[in-house]
Amino acid sequence: MASSSLLCFGLCLLVLFNACFAQIEQVTDITREGKQQRQRQQRFQTQCNIQNLNALEPRQKVESEAGVTEFWDQNNEQLQCANVAVFRQRIQQRGLLVPAYTNTPEIFYVVQGRGIHGVVFPGCAETFQDSQQQQSFQGSKSQDQHQKVRQLREGDVIALPAGAAHWIYNNGRDQLVLVALVDVGNSQNQLDQYFRKFYLGGNPQPQLQGFSQSQGGRSQGSQGSDDGRGGNLFRGFDERLLAEAFNVNPDLIRRLQRPQIQRGIIIRVEEELRVLSPQRDREQEQEECEETPSYERDNGFEETICTMKLRHNIDKPSHADVYNPRAGRVTTVNRFNLPILRDLQLSAEKGNLYPWNLNAHSIVYVTRGNGRMQIVAENGENVFDGQIREGQLIVVPQGFAVVKRAGNRGLEWISFKTNDVAMTSQLAGRASVLRGLPLDVIQNSFQVSRDEAQRLKYNRQELTVFTPGPRSQWGLTVA
């Protein structure tokens, strides 16, 4: 009987982790032909019938013991058009975000604070080891080994494939704030167009685990819990089968499945979390090595899933792609400086002020300050003209034109884009579409004099970020 039970559990466990890591296998075992085929795959298409855009605030807040998770309404027509979901997490000092994975690729930005981030890839070695690690763990309580952990700091962009379980711990002095985008329209998502969060620990509330589609629209799902309280993945399994699989006492399994204290998904660590991690100076040297262009250091080993780079800091002034000392800077992260984005088909842009998107939607989150923003649709209609401020979100659909002007506190934002090589075309400036047109084409298209056409074409010498004019002291971007 025990043998049949183990066989039954073995099959169940295989199904569970096959679902969890199906997309990881696609990432690790792909040929050049496979990559090209993936790049040709289409995103899930949705209807974009947008008459007006609005700066969005989070609609739902779920509190945990040591932090808060806030969700933007995925049913909002802007997010439906871009086919994405967005949430924000605020992790208090010594707060641990328990391990979880999603059914979609995820990209997040560190708005504030610092912390430790761990990602578990199937089949990868536990390369972080105690120097005194023994061959046998019987009777050992203090020694450990685990997969790689990474330090997080403000300005980091982190990319995660579907099915990669990850956790985050705030080891800093301030609150750790993250804003995350999950790309439900991505071809890696083989479920419906609503993201789901699969928690391996904690006792998550149903609101934290995503939503399921019903005939009447969207409804909160209990994820297998009869009492509607939600639960982690282990909750649904028979405790005896799990006890056999882990070779532990069933009482331990019961506590794993149903924690007695309702702590949510961000739990407070009473003593400092102990993990194996390089010293800061060694890690900084490693970061400098990682930031070397791949064509200068590529020998094949760096491209394995176990060692691939998942993080890129987009807030360093030295990384700026566009810079104007009187107006601000713009920095981009895409498949060229963070290669994993090639497989996830995502990218990001960070803008500081003291563009239109040719092939991607742009989901803009204001990280600091305030300003004015205008967005214009294909018919010339102004679909948004208003103030945006820190903590708000707005979607700029593909092809729509946008102007941003910084307010009296400056304006900083992070834009998540649904293409790994998102491109923009400028309306004004040295790289604008008007610069590429002959003067006679401008003159006749707009019915202006040749002198006026010349001023339209050449009066702005900046590239993307414009110096304020005589009637304004704040920077401007036009795209």
PDB file of all heavy atoms in Angstrom, residues 249-271:
ATOM      1  N   ASN A 249       7.539  14.019   9.732  1.00  0.00           N
ATOM      2  CA  ASN A 249       6.350  13.745  10.519  1.00  0.00           C
ATOM      3  C   ASN A 249       5.135  14.458   9.925  1.00  0.00           C
ATOM      4  O   ASN A 249       5.237  15.619   9.512  1.00  0.00           O
ATOM      5  CB  ASN A 249       6.588  14.220  11.960  1.00  0.00           C
ATOM      6  CG  ASN A 249       5.512  13.733  12.908  1.00  0.00           C
ATOM      7  OD1 ASN A 249       4.363  14.157  12.806  1.00  0.00           O
ATOM      8  ND2 ASN A 249       5.885  12.856  13.829  1.00  0.00           N
ATOM      9  N   PRO A 250       3.959  13.798   9.883  1.00  0.00           N
ATOM     10  CA  PRO A 250       2.753  14.460   9.341  1.00  0.00           C
ATOM     11  C   PRO A 250       2.401  15.752  10.055  1.00  0.00           C
ATOM     12  O   PRO A 250       1.806  16.653   9.448  1.00  0.00           O
ATOM     13  CB  PRO A 250       1.655  13.398   9.529  1.00  0.00           C
ATOM     14  CG  PRO A 250       2.390  12.100   9.521  1.00  0.00           C
ATOM     15  CD  PRO A 250       3.711  12.378  10.190  1.00  0.00           C
ATOM     16  N   ASP A 251       2.767  15.872  11.342  1.00  0.00           N
ATOM     17  CA  ASP A 251       2.470  17.101  12.063  1.00  0.00           C
ATOM     18  C   ASP A 251       3.190  18.295  11.435  1.00  0.00           C
ATOM     19  O   ASP A 251       2.644  19.402  11.368  1.00  0.00           O
ATOM     20  CB  ASP A 251       2.883  16.949  13.531  1.00  0.00           C
ATOM     21  CG  ASP A 251       2.588  18.212  14.336  1.00  0.00           C
ATOM     22  OD1 ASP A 251       1.406  18.587  14.449  1.00  0.00           O
ATOM     23  OD2 ASP A 251       3.568  18.848  14.817  1.00  0.00           O
ATOM     24  N   LEU A 252       4.409  18.070  10.979  1.00  0.00           N
ATOM     25  CA  LEU A 252       5.148  19.141  10.302  1.00  0.00           C
ATOM     26  C   LEU A 252       4.454  19.539   9.008  1.00  0.00           C
ATOM     27  O   LEU A 252       4.379  20.720   8.669  1.00  0.00           O
ATOM     28  CB  LEU A 252       6.585  18.685  10.039  1.00  0.00           C
ATOM     29  CG  LEU A 252       7.479  19.648   9.251  1.00  0.00           C
ATOM     30  CD1 LEU A 252       7.581  20.994   9.955  1.00  0.00           C
ATOM     31  CD2 LEU A 252       8.868  19.040   9.048  1.00  0.00           C
ATOM     32  N   ILE A 253       3.934  18.559   8.284  1.00  0.00           N
ATOM     33  CA  ILE A 253       3.224  18.844   7.035  1.00  0.00           C
ATOM     34  C   ILE A 253       1.962  19.655   7.316  1.00  0.00           C
ATOM     35  O   ILE A 253       1.626  20.595   6.584  1.00  0.00           O
ATOM     36  CB  ILE A 253       2.872  17.539   6.305  1.00  0.00           C
ATOM     37  CG1 ILE A 253       4.154  16.818   5.866  1.00  0.00           C
ATOM     38  CG2 ILE A 253       1.981  17.823   5.098  1.00  0.00           C
ATOM     39  CD1 ILE A 253       5.012  17.601   4.888  1.00  0.00           C
ATOM     40  N   ARG A 254       1.241  19.316   8.402  1.00  0.00           N
ATOM     41  CA  ARG A 254       0.025  20.073   8.736  1.00  0.00           C
ATOM     42  C   ARG A 254       0.354  21.534   9.007  1.00  0.00           C
ATOM     43  O   ARG A 254      -0.386  22.440   8.607  1.00  0.00           O
ATOM     44  CB  ARG A 254      -0.661  19.437   9.952  1.00  0.00           C
ATOM     45  CG  ARG A 254      -1.463  18.188   9.626  1.00  0.00           C
ATOM     46  CD  ARG A 254      -2.353  17.773  10.789  1.00  0.00           C
ATOM     47  NE  ARG A 254      -1.578  17.280  11.916  1.00  0.00           N
ATOM     48  CZ  ARG A 254      -1.202  16.016  12.071  1.00  0.00           C
ATOM     49  NH1 ARG A 254      -1.533  15.108  11.164  1.00  0.00           N
ATOM     50  NH2 ARG A 254      -0.502  15.651  13.137  1.00  0.00           N
ATOM     51  N   ARG A 255       1.461  21.787   9.689  1.00  0.00           N
ATOM     52  CA  ARG A 255       1.849  23.176   9.960  1.00  0.00           C
ATOM     53  C   ARG A 255       2.305  23.884   8.689  1.00  0.00           C
ATOM     54  O   ARG A 255       2.132  25.090   8.536  1.00  0.00           O
ATOM     55  CB  ARG A 255       2.950  23.209  11.021  1.00  0.00           C
ATOM     56  CG  ARG A 255       2.404  22.904  12.421  1.00  0.00           C
ATOM     57  CD  ARG A 255       3.444  23.127  13.499  1.00  0.00           C
ATOM     58  NE  ARG A 255       4.394  22.012  13.547  1.00  0.00           N
ATOM     59  CZ  ARG A 255       5.710  22.147  13.527  1.00  0.00           C
ATOM     60  NH1 ARG A 255       6.252  23.340  13.434  1.00  0.00           N
ATOM     61  NH2 ARG A 255       6.489  21.089  13.606  1.00  0.00           N
ATOM     62  N   LEU A 256       2.884  23.125   7.756  1.00  0.00           N
ATOM     63  CA  LEU A 256       3.299  23.698   6.475  1.00  0.00           C
ATOM     64  C   LEU A 256       2.081  24.066   5.641  1.00  0.00           C
ATOM     65  O   LEU A 256       2.041  25.112   4.995  1.00  0.00           O
ATOM     66  CB  LEU A 256       4.178  22.682   5.747  1.00  0.00           C
ATOM     67  CG  LEU A 256       4.771  23.045   4.374  1.00  0.00           C
ATOM     68  CD1 LEU A 256       6.125  22.367   4.204  1.00  0.00           C
ATOM     69  CD2 LEU A 256       3.852  22.619   3.240  1.00  0.00           C
ATOM     70  N   GLN A 257       1.051  23.207   5.667  1.00  0.00           N
ATOM     71  CA  GLN A 257      -0.142  23.436   4.850  1.00  0.00           C
ATOM     72  C   GLN A 257      -1.041  24.529   5.422  1.00  0.00           C
ATOM     73  O   GLN A 257      -1.630  25.309   4.675  1.00  0.00           O
ATOM     74  CB  GLN A 257      -0.949  22.134   4.746  1.00  0.00           C
ATOM     75  CG  GLN A 257      -0.275  21.053   3.931  1.00  0.00           C
ATOM     76  CD  GLN A 257      -1.101  19.773   3.917  1.00  0.00           C
ATOM     77  OE1 GLN A 257      -1.587  19.329   4.959  1.00  0.00           O
ATOM     78  NE2 GLN A 257      -1.263  19.193   2.748  1.00  0.00           N
ATOM     79  N   ARG A 258      -1.160  24.577   6.752  1.00  0.00           N
ATOM     80  CA  ARG A 258      -2.105  25.499   7.396  1.00  0.00           C
ATOM     81  C   ARG A 258      -1.438  26.200   8.575  1.00  0.00           C
ATOM     82  O   ARG A 258      -1.629  25.798   9.721  1.00  0.00           O
ATOM     83  CB  ARG A 258      -3.340  24.743   7.863  1.00  0.00           C
ATOM     84  CG  ARG A 258      -4.160  24.149   6.729  1.00  0.00           C
ATOM     85  CD  ARG A 258      -5.293  23.281   7.261  1.00  0.00           C
ATOM     86  NE  ARG A 258      -6.136  22.816   6.183  1.00  0.00           N
ATOM     87  CZ  ARG A 258      -5.854  21.753   5.421  1.00  0.00           C
ATOM     88  NH1 ARG A 258      -4.745  21.079   5.631  1.00  0.00           N
ATOM     89  NH2 ARG A 258      -6.683  21.396   4.463  1.00  0.00           N
ATOM     90  N   PRO A 259      -0.630  27.223   8.299  1.00  0.00           N
ATOM     91  CA  PRO A 259      -0.013  27.962   9.406  1.00  0.00           C
ATOM     92  C   PRO A 259      -1.069  28.493  10.358  1.00  0.00           C
ATOM     93  O   PRO A 259      -2.128  28.982   9.932  1.00  0.00           O
ATOM     94  CB  PRO A 259       0.728  29.101   8.691  1.00  0.00           C
ATOM     95  CG  PRO A 259       0.924  28.615   7.289  1.00  0.00           C
ATOM     96  CD  PRO A 259      -0.259  27.752   6.988  1.00  0.00           C
ATOM     97  N   GLN A 260      -0.808  28.387  11.641  1.00  0.00           N
ATOM     98  CA  GLN A 260      -1.787  28.782  12.650  1.00  0.00           C
ATOM     99  C   GLN A 260      -1.983  30.293  12.709  1.00  0.00           C
ATOM    100  O   GLN A 260      -3.066  30.788  12.952  1.00  0.00           O
ATOM    101  CB  GLN A 260      -1.356  28.262  14.030  1.00  0.00           C
ATOM    102  CG  GLN A 260      -1.350  26.744  14.133  1.00  0.00           C
ATOM    103  CD  GLN A 260      -2.723  26.150  13.845  1.00  0.00           C
ATOM    104  OE1 GLN A 260      -3.707  26.559  14.432  1.00  0.00           O
ATOM    105  NE2 GLN A 260      -2.767  25.192  12.922  1.00  0.00           N
ATOM    106  N   ILE A 261      -0.908  31.035  12.489  1.00  0.00           N
ATOM    107  CA  ILE A 261      -0.986  32.494  12.541  1.00  0.00           C
ATOM    108  C   ILE A 261      -1.175  33.036  11.130  1.00  0.00           C
ATOM    109  O   ILE A 261      -0.425  32.705  10.219  1.00  0.00           O
ATOM    110  CB  ILE A 261       0.291  33.093  13.172  1.00  0.00           C
ATOM    111  CG1 ILE A 261       0.509  32.498  14.577  1.00  0.00           C
ATOM    112  CG2 ILE A 261       0.204  34.606  13.225  1.00  0.00           C
ATOM    113  CD1 ILE A 261       1.801  32.960  15.221  1.00  0.00           C
ATOM    114  N   GLN A 262      -2.192  33.868  10.945  1.00  0.00           N
ATOM    115  CA  GLN A 262      -2.475  34.456   9.636  1.00  0.00           C
ATOM    116  C   GLN A 262      -1.512  35.614   9.376  1.00  0.00           C
ATOM    117  O   GLN A 262      -1.736  36.734   9.822  1.00  0.00           O
ATOM    118  CB  GLN A 262      -3.925  34.931   9.583  1.00  0.00           C
ATOM    119  CG  GLN A 262      -4.943  33.818   9.762  1.00  0.00           C
ATOM    120  CD  GLN A 262      -4.855  32.779   8.657  1.00  0.00           C
ATOM    121  OE1 GLN A 262      -4.860  33.110   7.479  1.00  0.00           O
ATOM    122  NE2 GLN A 262      -4.748  31.519   9.044  1.00  0.00           N
ATOM    123  N   ARG A 263      -0.426  35.316   8.673  1.00  0.00           N
ATOM    124  CA  ARG A 263       0.621  36.316   8.461  1.00  0.00           C
ATOM    125  C   ARG A 263       0.664  36.839   7.032  1.00  0.00           C
ATOM    126  O   ARG A 263       1.426  37.754   6.727  1.00  0.00           O
ATOM    127  CB  ARG A 263       1.985  35.726   8.844  1.00  0.00           C
ATOM    128  CG  ARG A 263       2.007  35.148  10.254  1.00  0.00           C
ATOM    129  CD  ARG A 263       3.265  34.350  10.532  1.00  0.00           C
ATOM    130  NE  ARG A 263       4.437  35.183  10.695  1.00  0.00           N
ATOM    131  CZ  ARG A 263       5.674  34.699  10.856  1.00  0.00           C
ATOM    132  NH1 ARG A 263       5.884  33.400  10.852  1.00  0.00           N
ATOM    133  NH2 ARG A 263       6.690  35.523  11.005  1.00  0.00           N
ATOM    134  N   GLY A 264      -0.109  36.234   6.124  1.00  0.00           N
ATOM    135  CA  GLY A 264      -0.094  36.689   4.742  1.00  0.00           C
ATOM    136  C   GLY A 264       1.113  36.182   3.990  1.00  0.00           C
ATOM    137  O   GLY A 264       1.651  35.105   4.273  1.00  0.00           O
ATOM    138  N   ILE A 265       1.584  36.979   3.020  1.00  0.00           N
ATOM    139  CA  ILE A 265       2.702  36.549   2.163  1.00  0.00           C
ATOM    140  C   ILE A 265       3.991  37.308   2.455  1.00  0.00           C
ATOM    141  O   ILE A 265       5.045  36.957   1.932  1.00  0.00           O
ATOM    142  CB  ILE A 265       2.349  36.716   0.674  1.00  0.00           C
ATOM    143  CG1 ILE A 265       2.052  38.188   0.351  1.00  0.00           C
ATOM    144  CG2 ILE A 265       1.190  35.815   0.293  1.00  0.00           C
ATOM    145  CD1 ILE A 265       2.076  38.512  -1.110  1.00  0.00           C
ATOM    146  N   ILE A 266       3.919  38.374   3.259  1.00  0.00           N
ATOM    147  CA  ILE A 266       5.120  39.115   3.659  1.00  0.00           C
ATOM    148  C   ILE A 266       5.228  38.960   5.165  1.00  0.00           C
ATOM    149  O   ILE A 266       4.474  39.580   5.913  1.00  0.00           O
ATOM    150  CB  ILE A 266       5.047  40.600   3.255  1.00  0.00           C
ATOM    151  CG1 ILE A 266       4.736  40.745   1.755  1.00  0.00           C
ATOM    152  CG2 ILE A 266       6.356  41.304   3.585  1.00  0.00           C
ATOM    153  CD1 ILE A 266       4.486  42.174   1.309  1.00  0.00           C
ATOM    154  N   ILE A 267       6.131  38.116   5.597  1.00  0.00           N
ATOM    155  CA  ILE A 267       6.215  37.770   7.018  1.00  0.00           C
ATOM    156  C   ILE A 267       7.436  38.436   7.643  1.00  0.00           C
ATOM    157  O   ILE A 267       8.430  38.709   6.965  1.00  0.00           O
ATOM    158  CB  ILE A 267       6.260  36.245   7.214  1.00  0.00           C
ATOM    159  CG1 ILE A 267       7.510  35.656   6.548  1.00  0.00           C
ATOM    160  CG2 ILE A 267       4.999  35.599   6.652  1.00  0.00           C
ATOM    161  CD1 ILE A 267       7.660  34.167   6.744  1.00  0.00           C
ATOM    162  N   ARG A 268       7.349  38.700   8.945  1.00  0.00           N
ATOM    163  CA  ARG A 268       8.456  39.338   9.647  1.00  0.00           C
ATOM    164  C   ARG A 268       9.414  38.278  10.181  1.00  0.00           C
ATOM    165  O   ARG A 268       9.001  37.319  10.838  1.00  0.00           O
ATOM    166  CB  ARG A 268       7.940  40.197  10.798  1.00  0.00           C
ATOM    167  CG  ARG A 268       9.035  41.064  11.427  1.00  0.00           C
ATOM    168  CD  ARG A 268       8.470  41.965  12.517  1.00  0.00           C
ATOM    169  NE  ARG A 268       7.320  42.731  12.056  1.00  0.00           N
ATOM    170  CZ  ARG A 268       7.401  43.797  11.261  1.00  0.00           C
ATOM    171  NH1 ARG A 268       8.587  44.221  10.841  1.00  0.00           N
ATOM    172  NH2 ARG A 268       6.311  44.448  10.893  1.00  0.00           N
ATOM    173  N   VAL A 269      10.688  38.464   9.866  1.00  0.00           N
ATOM    174  CA  VAL A 269      11.734  37.579  10.368  1.00  0.00           C
ATOM    175  C   VAL A 269      12.209  38.135  11.708  1.00  0.00           C
ATOM    176  O   VAL A 269      12.676  39.277  11.782  1.00  0.00           O
ATOM    177  CB  VAL A 269      12.906  37.482   9.364  1.00  0.00           C
ATOM    178  CG1 VAL A 269      14.026  36.611   9.916  1.00  0.00           C
ATOM    179  CG2 VAL A 269      12.404  36.945   8.021  1.00  0.00           C
ATOM    180  N   GLU A 270      12.070  37.345  12.770  1.00  0.00           N
ATOM    181  CA  GLU A 270      12.385  37.843  14.109  1.00  0.00           C
ATOM    182  C   GLU A 270      13.865  38.173  14.258  1.00  0.00           C
ATOM    183  O   GLU A 270      14.244  39.189  14.824  1.00  0.00           O
ATOM    184  CB  GLU A 270      11.958  36.807  15.156  1.00  0.00           C
ATOM    185  CG  GLU A 270      10.456  36.567  15.202  1.00  0.00           C
ATOM    186  CD  GLU A 270       9.670  37.848  15.440  1.00  0.00           C
ATOM    187  OE1 GLU A 270      10.158  38.731  16.181  1.00  0.00           O
ATOM    188  OE2 GLU A 270       8.566  37.983  14.864  1.00  0.00           O
ATOM    189  N   GLU A 271      14.724  37.300  13.754  1.00  0.00           N
ATOM    190  CA  GLU A 271      16.158  37.577  13.729  1.00  0.00           C
ATOM    191  C   GLU A 271      16.579  37.775  12.282  1.00  0.00           C
ATOM    192  O   GLU A 271      15.859  37.402  11.365  1.00  0.00           O
ATOM    193  CB  GLU A 271      16.934  36.421  14.375  1.00  0.00           C
ATOM    194  CG  GLU A 271      16.568  36.195  15.840  1.00  0.00           C
ATOM    195  CD  GLU A 271      17.345  35.035  16.437  1.00  0.00           C
ATOM    196  OE1 GLU A 271      18.192  34.467  15.725  1.00  0.00           O
ATOM    197  OE2 GLU A 271      17.089  34.703  17.606  1.00  0.00           O
TER     198      GLU A 271
END
